[in-house]
Amino acid sequence: MEANTVQQVNPGKTPRVPRKKGSKQPWVLHFMVLPAALLVFIFSYIPMGGILMAFQDYKPALGFADSPWVGLKHFEYMWQNDYFLKITWNTLLFACSKMVMNLIIPFFFALLLNEVRKMGLKRTIQTMVYLPHFLSWVTLSGILIDMLAQTGLINQFLSGVFGIKPIFFLGDGNWFRFTVIVSDVWKEFGFNMIIFLAALSGINPSLYEAAEVDGAGRWKQTLYITIPALIPIAIVVATLALGNVLNANFDQIFNLYSPLIYQQGDIIDTFVYREGLLSGQFSFATAVNLFKSVISLILIVISYRLAYRFAGYRIF
Amino acid sequence: MYHKTLSYRVFSLFNNIFLTAVSVLCLLPLVHLLMVSLSSSAPANAGLVSFWPIGFTLEAYAKTFNNANFLASLWVSVERTVLGTALALIVNTIAAYALSKESRVFRARNIYLWYFVITMLFSGGLIPGYILILKLGLMNSLMALILPGLVAVFNIILMLNFFRTVPKDLEEASFIDGAGQFRTFVSIYLPVSLPVIATISLLVMVGHWNAYFDGIIYIRDSEKLPLATFMQTIIVQADMSKIDSNALVNGTQRTLRASQIFISALPILLVYPFLQRFFVTGIVVGAVKE
């Protein structure tokens, strides 16, 4: 794109861009970025400076300037804390299971949907499976709490059909984990499928025609044309998901969990919220959050580098 | 022709049935919710309602719309959604336009881009953000719900990627006719980018409507809570004081709660068809780069 606008090239000198009226006034462009830049400075960069309080014993009454510096005290406390290790494990467990499931299930669902030849049916299915993505976890947790209750619809169904005793989906640690992962997949698989459907529509039809001529059935075509065409995009999705290894979805856990199952259900983000804003341990909560942010940052940078190197993926 | 073979037809039949079943599964919880909200309270409390109302009544909806707390929160949500989306749209599209210029034209472009992208990668986190709002004196105000998330870097990137696909000839013609950057943005770029802008504004609206957490930490007065936060306090914190004192006496909490959840999700269900039509094309187009 850039090459075709520069016509003249003076060897040995920096090429001078022919200036037109609009390009004479880049200050207008600065002016256009200014509101966004200012807001980002106030609401993103200033809080980044606030991270320093992870190394203080921040007291609201004393403020930043006068709160005592304590070095790595909060980080040491964090490492010696068994509960911290537990919630880190929970976070990893939730995030990784969701990541794997949200890659595999949309992948196969897209393959199956690709075989639906009636366009009307295909579009109806798409409309229905994308919907849960747009509902908030508050709404969904309202529905889930109701449906998963001991006398709720699901337990009625289970006892009616299989004759099993009511299950505490949200009150038993292991069932809670199961519920969290399944409900997340239920909410997101349709939306995650879009990217695969886009890749499917980009496959050159002549490949299938050639396979047809060679006598390959639909199964062979799927195996040797469709799946190989989807693998690169699946790798990009998986790589980019790496940055989310410590993101177990605050909104979901926060709206479904209860003190009953903290041992199996509490994650770093909910812990930071309770320690920081409910118990007033500002510095400790910030230290825990900083730990998470740093690990995430490293993973994001690695994942984007990998995605760029292997698939040429760039965000801008 | 593979799709004429018997085995493929059998597969196709089962495939269609399976996929339809799974998609219905995505809707059933909402249908159940709606049916509970439309039933009378006794069968609902006894857990008899599944996918058809028993003792059809609109009583729960009538009560919900008489609940002053609910209406106040509904209004706060409308306010924050309209104002928040409008402001976000103005600030983000203008910035995206400037950043879509090549770095030859706009030298600082890459510096600005990194300045924005860094905030996607790293953030101060919950506590410093909370203290900032406290120090700015925005606690308990509508602006605390709007300003912190106003600049959405990801949306800026989507838009600037789209702006870059607009043919350069249009821009040059506009400059030759004597329009400045701002005029070019308003008269050329905005009209041709309407689908992308519509998509992004719908996404921002949905985000505002669904946002509940900022309401929990920044808003103290119950009449200033946005609807999503109000619903969160009812559903998760089981704060019955907000529902309606009559409901406890009459035992109508279950139908009442279902009706409130349904009403709070209704705007999303209403914009969803438009959203769905736009987002696939819009986002995919915005994400394609040269």
Side-chain angles (χ1 to χ4, degrees):
Chain A
M1 282 306 286
E2 306 219 352
N4 58 13
T5 33
V6 187
Q7 299 298 335
Q8 66 199 96
V9 178
N10 304 339
K13 280 168 76 180
T14 25
R16 275 192 65 83
V17 184
R19 300 215 169 230
K20 296 188 198 75
K21 188 173 185 275
S23 52
K24 256 186 223 155
Q25 24 175 303
W27 60 269
V28 185
L29 298 174
H30 286 284
F31 184 69
M32 291 169 111
V33 186
L34 190 68
L38 218 61
L39 280 167
V40 161
F41 182 78
I42 298 172
F43 292 103
S44 297
Y45 281 96
I46 293 180
M48 277 187 213
I51 285 176
L52 284 178
M53 73 179 160
F55 307 97
Q56 286 184 320
D57 256 337
Y58 180 80
K59 298 274 188 309
L62 295 175
F64 278 109
D66 299 321
S67 292
W69 293 89
V70 294
L72 295 175
K73 183 183 114 178
H74 298 299
F75 293 92
E76 278 158 20
Y77 175 70
M78 191 169 91
W79 283 119
Q80 287 153 8
N81 193 333
D82 281 344
Y83 191 70
F84 174 75
L85 295 177
K86 200 164 268 170
I87 58 170
T88 308
W89 168 243
N90 289 344
T91 309
L92 284 172
L93 183 79
F94 284 137
C96 294
S97 336
K98 287 176 186 175
M99 229 146 66
V100 173
M101 304 289 267
N102 272 328
L103 185 66
I104 295 174
I105 292 176
F107 185 92
F108 285 106
F109 205 85
L111 280 182
L112 291 181
L113 195 62
N114 194 36
E115 299 301 320
V116 175
R117 302 179 58 84
K118 297 186 190 93
M119 289 317 285
L121 179 64
K122 192 173 174 180
R123 218 165 297 136
T124 313
I125 292 172
Q126 278 173 288
T127 305
M128 285 157 93
V129 296
Y130 297 162
L131 179 64
H133 171 80
F134 293 97
L135 298 172
S136 78
W137 271 112
V138 174
T139 302
L140 290 182
S141 102
I143 299 176
L144 284 177
I145 289 172
D146 187 83
M147 285 180 67
L148 297 173
Q150 285 208 273
T151 54
L153 199 62
I154 305 276
N155 271 322
Q156 280 181 26
F157 174 78
L158 289 177
S159 67
V161 177
F162 302 106
I164 41 180
K165 275 187 273 178
I167 297 169
F168 291 93
F169 284 102
L170 296 172
D172 175 272
N174 292 324
W175 278 109
F176 179 80
R177 285 179 172 172
F178 173 83
T179 311
V180 161
I181 293 166
V182 171
S183 60
D184 188 78
V185 171
W186 172 78
K187 185 177 191 288
E188 303 295 345
F189 83 93
F191 197 74
N192 290 332
M193 187 177 72
I194 291 177
I195 192 161
F196 293 121
L197 290 179
L200 281 172
S201 66
I203 300 177
N204 188 344
S206 62
L207 290 175
Y208 292 112
E209 285 157 21
E212 197 100 343
V213 172
D214 290 346
R218 191 57 174 167
W219 173 243
K220 283 270 159 80
Q221 292 178 17
T222 306
L223 215 55
Y224 295 110
I225 298 173
T226 316
I227 292 183
L230 288 186
I231 293 290
I233 193 77
I235 292 177
V236 171
V237 172
T239 323
L240 295 183
L242 210 74
N244 279 327
V245 159
L246 289 180
N247 270 339
N249 195 344
F250 174 86
D251 290 337
Q252 180 192 22
I253 306 289
F254 185 66
N255 287 314
L256 288 176
Y257 80 160
S258 58
L260 222 60
I261 41 83
Y262 276 172
Q263 296 288 324
Q264 284 95 352
D266 200 10
I267 58 170
I268 296 179
D269 290 335
T270 46
F271 180 71
V272 168
Y273 166 71
R274 290 201 316 275
E275 282 296 304
L277 294 188
L278 298 187
S279 319
Q281 305 280 332
F282 289 125
S283 287
F284 178 59
T286 307
V288 174
N289 210 344
L290 177 60
F291 165 79
K292 188 200 150 195
S293 303
V294 169
I295 306 261
S296 297
L297 175 66
I298 295 170
L299 290 173
I300 291 171
V301 171
I302 292 175
S303 69
Y304 274 79
R305 296 217 137 198
L306 288 176
Y308 179 61
R309 177 173 305 171
F310 294 113
Y313 177 88
R314 287 165 64 204
I315 58 166
F316 62 85
Chain B
M1 298 301 274
Y2 64 84
H3 47 83
K4 296 244 169 86
T5 63
L6 179 66
S7 61
Y8 189 78
R9 281 186 176 181
V10 173
F11 160 77
S12 198
L13 179 68
F14 279 104
N15 188 33
N16 288 356
I17 293 173
F18 171 73
L19 292 180
T20 310
V22 173
S23 354
V24 169
L25 211 61
C26 286
L27 288 192
L28 278 187
L30 270 180
V31 175
H32 175 61
L33 179 80
L34 178 64
M35 293 313 161
V36 169
S37 73
L38 291 173
S39 299
S40 24
S41 50
N45 286 340
L48 298 174
V49 181
S50 50
F51 300 109
W52 198 250
I54 297 179
F56 177 84
T57 167
L58 290 172
E59 195 193 350
Y61 287 91
K63 276 192 180 154
T64 299
F65 279 111
N66 279 325
N67 180 345
N69 280 325
F70 184 86
L71 293 179
S73 292
L74 189 67
W75 177 240
V76 174
S77 271
V78 171
E79 264 182 317
R80 81 171 283 184
T81 305
V82 172
L83 199 60
T85 310
L87 284 176
L89 221 55
I90 295 169
V91 169
N92 290 335
T93 36
I94 293 185
Y97 170 77
L99 294 173
S100 73
K101 298 291 150 207
E102 287 152 19
S103 46
R104 265 185 316 103
V105 180
F106 185 30
R107 291 234 176 75
R109 171 190 186 260
N110 285 342
I111 299 170
Y112 276 122
L113 262 179
W114 278 109
Y115 172 82
F116 285 115
V117 167
I118 285 172
T119 64
M120 277 173 97
L121 302 175
F122 193 76
S123 77
L126 180 65
I127 312 295
Y130 173 82
I131 291 175
L132 177 74
I133 296 292
L134 202 67
K135 292 264 158 84
L136 288 175
L138 290 177
M139 229 26 141
N140 216 4
S141 77
L142 193 64
M143 281 300 139
L145 307 178
I146 291 177
L147 290 181
L150 191 64
V151 177
V153 178
F154 190 71
N155 291 345
I156 292 185
I157 290 176
L158 280 183
M159 278 192 275
L160 84 87
N161 280 334
F162 185 82
F163 286 153
R164 291 215 285 187
T165 64
V166 175
K168 284 280 171 296
D169 303 346
L170 285 178
E171 185 194 64
E172 276 163 19
S174 153
F175 286 153
I176 287 168
D177 286 349
Q181 294 281 7
F182 193 77
R183 185 72 199 273
T184 308
F185 164 64
V186 175
S187 314
I188 308 285
Y189 277 77
L190 278 190
V192 301
S193 325
L194 275 183
V196 170
I197 292 173
T199 311
I200 289 177
S201 42
L202 281 175
L203 288 175
V204 174
M205 281 166 75
V206 170
H208 263 296
W209 191 265
N210 282 343
Y212 70 96
F213 189 65
D214 44 8
I216 293 180
I217 58 179
Y218 298 145
I219 304 294
R220 266 96 192 237
D221 300 345
S222 65
E223 74 270 12
K224 289 185 181 168
L225 286 179
L227 190 60
T229 314
F230 173 82
M231 294 309 301
Q232 209 269 350
T233 56
I234 290 178
I235 294 165
V236 181
Q237 300 167 27
D239 186 350
M240 289 303 171
S241 67
K242 290 212 178 69
I243 287 203
D244 187 355
S245 48
N246 294 328
L248 291 172
V249 181
N250 302 334
T252 52
Q253 308 97 301
R254 191 153 182 257
T255 54
L256 212 50
R257 200 167 57 183
S259 75
Q260 289 175 332
I261 297 175
F262 195 79
I263 295 168
S264 69
L266 196 61
I268 305 290
L269 300 178
L270 291 181
V271 301
Y272 174 67
F274 301 97
L275 198 59
Q276 202 228 346
R277 190 187 319 154
F278 277 132
F279 72 78
V280 179
T281 50
I283 296 294
V284 169
V285 170
V288 170
K289 287 152 302 248
E290 297 164 56

